[in-house]
Amino acid sequence: MRQTDIMPTELKVLSNHIYELQKGVRQMVLFTCPKQYEECARKRLCSQNMDFVLQPAGKNNLNFYIGRKECLNAIRLIVTRPLNELSPEEDFILGAMLGYDLCAQCERYCERKCKKKCNKCKN
């Protein structure tokens, strides 16, 4: 196999996400990759008839939200700015939609909510 035929790890992860979505294991996934893989990822998703929302993630990365149209419509309404700027409520909803551990999401929500309240008191 020639060096140019080797699939980067990021694209192997994308292939696994596509497989899980097609098998119904997940309804939506968040795939983050370097911008250099944008065209390849788009082509792969389009060839599999996968719906997605694409957003920048910092200077060098992209977030692909991939999944069912209902989920992606909600993503368009919720994730309107960088992930680190989401409110504790938006962050909680996103984590739940992505299928993250619910108890861990509840813990994260409480920590973020408390931190936000404490920061308001300091001003």
Side-chain angles (χ1 to χ4, degrees):
M1 183 180 281
R2 296 182 319 211
Q3 183 68 21
T4 57
D5 292 338
I6 297 174
M7 183 185 290
T9 302
E10 289 86 353
L11 298 179
K12 290 179 184 179
V13 170
L14 177 60
S15 293
N16 187 66
H17 286 325
I18 291 170
Y19 174 82
E20 289 181 348
L21 288 162
Q22 289 174 333
K23 293 295 181 185
V25 174
R26 298 177 185 238
Q27 303 304 310
M28 187 178 75
V29 297
L30 170 57
F31 170 66
T32 302
C33 70
K35 286 182 179 179
Q36 70 191 51
Y37 297 123
E38 177 181 0
E39 184 180 344
C40 190
R42 279 180 180 270
K43 285 181 183 178
R44 179 85 170 111
L45 292 168
C46 290
S47 74
Q48 296 294 313
N49 295 316
M50 304 296 297
D51 294 315
F52 63 91
V53 171
L54 180 60
Q55 293 182 330
K59 295 178 184 175
N60 302 314
N61 294 317
L62 298 169
N63 282 336
F64 283 84
Y65 296 89
I66 312 160
R68 295 184 53 171
K69 288 180 183 181
E70 302 89 342
C71 297
L72 297 177
N73 288 338
I75 289 297
R76 287 183 186 95
L77 296 172
I78 296 169
V79 186
T80 58
R81 56 196 175 283
L83 296 180
N84 65 329
E85 294 177 15
L86 294 181
S87 71
E89 291 80 9
E90 292 165 329
D91 181 80
F92 179 84
I93 292 167
L94 177 60
M97 289 176 67
L98 290 167
Y100 297 169
D101 178 85
L102 191 54
C103 291
Q105 282 303 112
C106 290
E107 217 172 82
R108 178 178 166 88
Y109 170 75
C110 291
E111 286 172 10
R112 290 191 70 209
K113 192 70 173 182
C114 180
K115 183 177 180 182
K116 192 173 183 178
K117 276 186 181 180
C118 293
N119 286 340
K120 281 184 182 178
C121 295
K122 290 178 184 177
N123 294 333

